[in-house]
Amino acid sequence: MPTYTFVVNGKPVTVDAPANLALLWVLRDKLGVRGPKFGCGIGVCRACTSHLNGAEIQPCVTPVAECAGQSVTTIEGLASGDDLHPVQEAWLEQDVAQCGYCQPGQIMAAAALLRTKKEISDEDVDRIANVCRCGTYFRIRQAIKSAAAKM
């Protein structure tokens, strides 16, 4: 079985896995990283959203082989020590979470957007397109705008 070495949340890891095994299962089952959630398995719901070298990805459709030598960040690695990322702070301030299942993916998608764009519009937020079954979209939008203002 092939071996892949990459960085997860700032720590180097090496895993034995088939090349086409979805990164989501490597994170959850082999490395014990539980933040990215399984929702649909086809990259549509985006509950698993994480970052690969700072860019947004859906680990449920990203083969582990694509991550070799790269840096993966999940919700567990977004904060800097005890200092929350501005998006995480805004999520708490706006009381966004209801059931919370989609929230790691929502936060990671928002953080990726705000990394590349400081002035955001409603259209920018709409392009995030993560699914929230609880319907907290208004609070999600407010939190993203609040985080953008802080950044």
Side-chain angles (χ1 to χ4, degrees):
M1 190 171 309
T3 299
Y4 300 96
T5 299
F6 52 100
V7 174
V8 176
N9 298 327
K11 296 178 182 159
V13 298
T14 300
V15 296
D16 294 327
N20 64 348
L21 183 63
L23 175 62
L24 179 62
W25 302 123
V26 171
L27 291 169
R28 292 183 61 80
D29 296 343
K30 292 187 174 281
L31 300 175
V33 178
R34 301 284 190 229
K37 305 294 188 236
F38 175 76
C40 66
I42 57 173
V44 174
C45 78
R46 303 162 65 93
C48 62
T49 301
S50 299
H51 298 167
L52 183 63
N53 297 329
E56 178 184 335
I57 61 163
Q58 279 63 57
C60 69
V61 294
T62 303
V64 68
E66 289 183 19
C67 302
Q70 310 294 320
S71 179
V72 174
T73 305
T74 68
I75 190 72
E76 290 90 345
L78 190 60
S80 178
D82 290 337
D83 296 328
L84 293 178
H85 186 279
V87 175
Q88 292 171 308
E89 289 177 352
W91 240 250
L92 293 172
E93 291 166 3
Q94 298 295 323
D95 197 25
V96 173
Q98 194 162 332
C99 85
Y101 195 82
C102 70
Q103 298 310 300
Q106 298 273 6
I107 290 168
M108 295 303 287
L113 169 67
L114 295 177
R115 175 177 287 129
T116 60
K117 207 165 188 185
K118 302 305 177 199
E119 300 284 326
I120 61 165
S121 65
D122 284 338
E123 292 78 25
D124 294 323
V125 175
D126 290 342
R127 276 189 223 105
I128 289 177
N130 288 51
V131 176
C132 174
R133 295 217 174 223
C134 298
T136 63
Y137 295 109
F138 177 77
R139 293 193 310 249
I140 290 167
R141 180 180 306 278
Q142 293 307 110
I144 295 170
K145 287 181 175 183
S146 173
K150 289 180 183 182
M151 296 174 72

